[in-house]
Amino acid sequence: MRTIGLIGAGRIGGQLARLAVAHGYDVVISNSRGPETLSALVAELGPRARAATAFEAAEAADIAVVTVPLKNCRKVPVAPLAGKIVIDTNNYYPERDGHIAELDNESTTTSELLQAHLPTSKVVKAFNHIYAAELTTHGQPAGSKNRRALVIAGDDQTAKDTVTHLLDEFGFDTVDAGPLKEGWRIQRDTPGYGPRRTAEELRKDLAAATRYADQ
Ligand SMILES: NC(=O)c1ccc[n+]([C@@H]2O[C@H](COP(=O)([O-])OP(=O)(O)OC[C@H]3O[C@@H](n4cnc5c(N)ncnc54)[C@H](OP(=O)(O)O)[C@@H]3O)[C@@H](O)[C@H]2O)c1
């Protein structure tokens, strides 16, 4: 589990690549425009990083991260991610993504949409409620007082255990919101979305979250 393949290398993807390299992982980064457009980031990241197509990044990944605008999630390659842990950072912004009926009527969640697109992958929602810049500045060693916590959600416990371990390495406690269908509790406009929270605070935020229809 030493290679992280990133589908998307923007604000969140770039920051997760920096964190991964800083913690001894190899990274393969990709975007929509092609590997040649990522040379500056690869140079910054150093010898543990290379750029590739999204398909190649997915193929190389022990753990993959999908961190693209949600409207492009259905372009994520399916076959090379079969059976793999796929971390989903994505959020729904209709002004960016266009309207998606199943999300507007809250019959599903963003991560369940990605899971439906990647039926045999083990999708774990993570890193969706922290500002990109804070990924490299808010991490603290395990056991630090008031350590920041991040929410995960997923349907596969082993995959969630792996992601919990990764978050711990990256400097964060984890709060498990449950299966993917509970991911709405940390969508935009819920109390835990954005601010720095400890695990205890975040658990209260998840419990206090309300559906858009009830806001
Ligand atoms: N920014 C934040 O602080 C933040 C925090 C938490 C969660 N999020 C969520 O995380 C996701 C990514 O956000 P971001 O801010 O990192 O976005 P961003 O800065 O706009 O970066 C998006 C990245 O995805 C790439 N991409 C787009 N379509 C692709 C495709 N079909 N295949 C491969 N790569 C593709 C883009 O490549 P090109 O540039 O080549 O098109 C770019 O590298 C979003 O869903 C966002 O809501 C963001």
Side-chain angles (χ1 to χ4, degrees):
M1 289 287 182
R2 295 317 295 178
T3 299
I4 299 188
L6 290 130
I7 318 293
R11 283 164 290 191
I12 289 283
Q15 284 288 78
L16 288 176
R18 290 182 184 98
L19 268 183
V21 163
H23 290 86
Y25 288 88
D26 294 325
V27 296
V28 183
I29 59 175
S30 67
N31 64 6
S32 76
R33 287 165 294 149
E36 63 285 357
T37 65
L38 290 166
S39 52
L41 182 55
V42 169
E44 180 202 322
L45 292 168
R48 288 198 177 279
R50 69 183 169 93
T53 64
F55 192 94
E56 289 162 344
E59 256 183 339
D62 296 320
I63 299 174
V65 182
V66 172
T67 183
V68 302
L70 185 71
K71 64 179 176 196
N72 290 353
C73 271
R74 289 195 174 101
K75 295 182 183 159
V76 171
V78 178
L81 293 174
K84 295 184 181 179
I85 297 172
V86 177
I87 295 175
D88 172 30
T89 80
N90 301 307
N91 294 305
Y92 175 43
Y93 285 94
E95 61 274 26
R96 177 192 68 194
D97 299 317
H99 279 278
I100 300 172
E102 313 94 283
L103 295 177
D104 287 338
N105 68 22
E106 300 187 83
S107 60
T108 191
T109 59
T110 52
S111 296
E112 286 175 292
L113 282 184
L114 183 65
Q115 181 68 78
H117 176 66
L118 302 172
T120 69
S121 303
K122 298 161 193 166
V123 172
V124 179
K125 184 178 191 68
F127 302 116
N128 81 300
H129 64 99
I130 177 170
Y131 293 107
E134 295 169 355
L135 281 168
T136 51
T137 56
H138 279 200
Q140 292 173 289
S144 300
K145 196 170 183 307
N146 295 325
R147 192 188 200 203
R148 184 166 183 175
L150 299 177
V151 171
I152 62 165
D155 296 340
D156 184 293
Q157 190 57 50
T158 310
K160 286 201 283 194
D161 292 345
T162 300
V163 174
T164 297
H165 179 73
L166 187 70
L167 261 74
D168 188 47
E169 279 188 282
F170 286 2
F172 300 96
D173 285 342
T174 297
V175 172
D176 184 354
L180 289 178
K181 67 177 185 205
E182 291 297 313
W184 66 269
R185 292 183 180 277
I186 196 69
Q187 66 192 3
R188 78 180 142 72
D189 300 333
T190 58
Y193 187 80
R196 188 190 193 291
R197 293 284 201 251
T198 63
E200 193 185 340
E201 292 166 337
L202 209 39
R203 278 188 206 100
K204 287 182 190 153
D205 287 341
L206 292 178
T210 53
R211 294 285 194 173
Y212 291 135
D214 301 320
Q215 288 176 8

